[in-house]
Amino acid sequence: MLQTINNPPIIELLEKHGLRKTAIRTQVLHVFLNRREALSHAEVEELLKDADRITVYRTLKTFEDKGLIHKAIDGGGKTKYALCHGGCSEHAHHDHHAHFHCDDCGKTICLDTVAAPQVQAPGKFRVVATHLVLTGQCDACSE
Amino acid sequence: MLQTINNPPIIELLEKHGLRKTAIRTQVLHVFLNRREALSHAEVEELLKDADRITVYRTLKTFEDKGLIHKAIDGGGKTKYALCHGGCSEHAHHDHHAHFHCDDCGKTICLDTVAAPQVQAPGKFRVVATHLVLTGQCDACSE
DNA sequence: CAAAGAGTGCAACTATATTGCAAAAACAAT
DNA sequence: ATTGTTTTTGCAATATAGTTGCACTCTTTG
């Protein structure tokens, strides 16, 4: 059985977003806090062997809805998530950084220092959000 | 049964990329040439009722490998493809335009006039390609 | 600590995508 | 046009990703 992790930063994150402190949620947050790359459902599941598949899906969805994690677009087939920084809430995500997808190891990493550009779309297109995706070799794979 | 379409531009496209002229391939190209938005496998299948599901998957894959179409990253769950412009080949894709994903109708459209920026990634990251994805309302939905 | 509401786990199901193999079609050479 | 070679196609089976309904359990609040 999964245990609730009693780690202050994790508990605070959940409280701040109005979420109940359950075993799965603390475990999933723990995983995200200890990884720099974005994680897919399958990866979270792999790291939390005793967690139920469907519950992991729902946990990720809930975290996204409440502003704890955001989807990281990377062009790969799977949805990946990464921790939000302050500023995201139930009502809106504000992650304007680029995501780097490594063609070698497949990892997706948030580049917090690289901002997505402001662009002007032609004609009547109304741009609400901009995503910048870089692909190539990550720092670990380019050695 | 699907018929081979004997349309000069379609035939030329296939010949230029060293592909055999089969019924499915001409039909799939026909579909792409008559749509401005990027298409998912499901959409192509829907438009080509008599085509075999698996063959459509393989046709899309082949076209991508040979440089006729490219994946359009849009942040949605499904792989979408759009026609390449001249300049793409078996060896490399050169589509540096932005893709617009409409939150309302779900369509993904190549914005040929909007270029993905050149960006400098930090540290040892080696950037090979840059993708710019805009989301919001497309010209048709923003009326 | 009990009631109410939220979250979890299981089963069943849908959608998306890939692989192996035999039959069919396209192409090149006669 | 006919044949032989190679590529492509169609079917079956299988893999991977994600969703929904329902009953049970846990967290929270008074």
Side-chain angles (χ1 to χ4, degrees), chain B residues 116-135:
Chain B
Q118 289 277 110
V119 288
Q120 191 68 39
K124 291 180 175 156
F125 286 89
R126 280 195 45 224
V127 179
V128 171
T130 306
H131 305 270
L132 184 61
V133 182
L134 311 180
T135 60

Side-chain angles (χ1 to χ4, degrees), chain B residues 11-51:
Chain B
I11 299 298
E12 271 169 39
L13 254 177
L14 289 171
E15 281 177 351
K16 193 166 71 180
H17 293 88
L19 292 169
R20 294 186 172 191
K21 302 154 208 88
T22 69
I24 286 247
R25 289 180 179 170
T26 58
Q27 293 274 355
V28 171
L29 274 185
H30 179 74
V31 163
F32 276 104
L33 285 163
N34 285 283
R35 295 251 159 178
R36 65 165 192 162
E37 73 267 17
L39 297 168
S40 65
H41 167 268
E43 289 160 338
V44 173
E45 203 192 330
E46 170 71 16
L47 293 166
L48 265 51
K49 291 244 171 54
D50 289 329

Side-chain angles (χ1 to χ4, degrees), chain A residues 1 19-20 22 24-25 52-55 58-59:
Chain A
M1 214 26 207
L19 292 169
R20 294 187 172 193
T22 69
I24 286 249
R25 289 180 180 172
D52 179 73
R53 225 170 60 79
I54 287 93
T55 304
R58 285 196 272 227
T59 302

Side-chain angles (χ1 to χ4, degrees), chain A residues 18-82:
Chain A
L19 292 169
R20 294 187 172 193
K21 302 157 206 89
T22 69
I24 286 249
R25 289 180 180 172
T26 58
Q27 294 274 356
V28 171
L29 275 185
H30 179 74
V31 163
F32 275 105
L33 286 162
N34 286 282
R35 295 250 158 177
R36 67 163 190 164
E37 74 267 17
L39 298 167
S40 66
H41 167 268
E43 288 161 339
V44 173
E45 202 192 331
E46 170 72 15
L47 292 166
L48 266 51
K49 291 243 170 55
D50 289 329
D52 179 73
R53 225 170 60 79
I54 287 93
T55 304
V56 172
Y57 273 117
R58 285 196 272 227
T59 302
L60 295 174
K61 186 89 168 50
T62 302
F63 282 1
E64 191 198 1
D65 290 346
K66 299 289 184 174
L68 283 82
I69 60 179
H70 61 272
K71 278 189 180 148
I73 297 182
D74 72 353
K78 338 186 170 175
T79 304
K80 290 193 179 183
Y81 294 96

Side-chain angles (χ1 to χ4, degrees), chain A residues 1-142:
Chain A
M1 214 26 207
L2 286 178
Q3 298 295 313
T4 299
I5 300 177
N6 211 328
N7 173 303
I10 291 177
I11 300 299
E12 270 169 40
L13 253 178
L14 288 171
E15 282 178 348
K16 192 166 71 181
H17 293 87
L19 292 169
R20 294 187 172 193
K21 302 157 206 89
T22 69
I24 286 249
R25 289 180 180 172
T26 58
Q27 294 274 356
V28 171
L29 275 185
H30 179 74
V31 163
F32 275 105
L33 286 162
N34 286 282
R35 295 250 158 177
R36 67 163 190 164
E37 74 267 17
L39 298 167
S40 66
H41 167 268
E43 288 161 339
V44 173
E45 202 192 331
E46 170 72 15
L47 292 166
L48 266 51
K49 291 243 170 55
D50 289 329
D52 179 73
R53 225 170 60 79
I54 287 93
T55 304
V56 172
Y57 273 117
R58 285 196 272 227
T59 302
L60 295 174
K61 186 89 168 50
T62 302
F63 282 1
E64 191 198 1
D65 290 346
K66 299 289 184 174
L68 283 82
I69 60 179
H70 61 272
K71 278 189 180 148
I73 297 182
D74 72 353
K78 338 186 170 175
T79 304
K80 290 193 179 183
Y81 294 96
L83 270 185
C84 289
H85 297 237
C88 294
S89 70
E90 178 163 7
H91 307 299
H93 280 275
H94 301 288
D95 293 284
H96 298 313
H97 56 270
H99 289 114
F100 189 96
H101 179 75
C102 180
D103 295 327
D104 290 0
C105 66
K107 285 182 182 166
T108 300
I109 296 157
C110 294
L111 298 180
D112 298 312
T113 59
V114 180
Q118 289 277 111
V119 287
Q120 190 67 38
K124 290 180 175 157
F125 286 90
R126 281 196 44 222
V127 179
V128 171
T130 306
H131 305 271
L132 185 61
V133 182
L134 310 180
T135 60
Q137 276 88 50
C138 74
D139 50 357
C141 292
S142 69

Side-chain angles (χ1 to χ4, degrees), chain B residues 35-100:
Chain B
R35 295 251 159 178
R36 65 165 192 162
E37 73 267 17
L39 297 168
S40 65
H41 167 268
E43 289 160 338
V44 173
E45 203 192 330
E46 170 71 16
L47 293 166
L48 265 51
K49 291 244 171 54
D50 289 329
D52 180 73
R53 229 169 58 76
I54 286 93
T55 304
V56 172
Y57 273 117
R58 284 196 274 228
T59 301
L60 294 174
K61 186 90 170 46
T62 302
F63 281 2
E64 191 198 1
D65 291 347
K66 299 289 183 174
L68 282 82
I69 60 178
H70 61 271
K71 278 188 181 151
I73 296 182
D74 72 353
K78 335 186 172 177
T79 305
K80 291 196 180 180
Y81 294 95
L83 271 185
C84 288
H85 299 235
C88 294
S89 71
E90 178 162 7
H91 307 298
H93 281 276
H94 302 287
D95 294 284
H96 298 314
H97 57 269
H99 288 115
F100 189 95

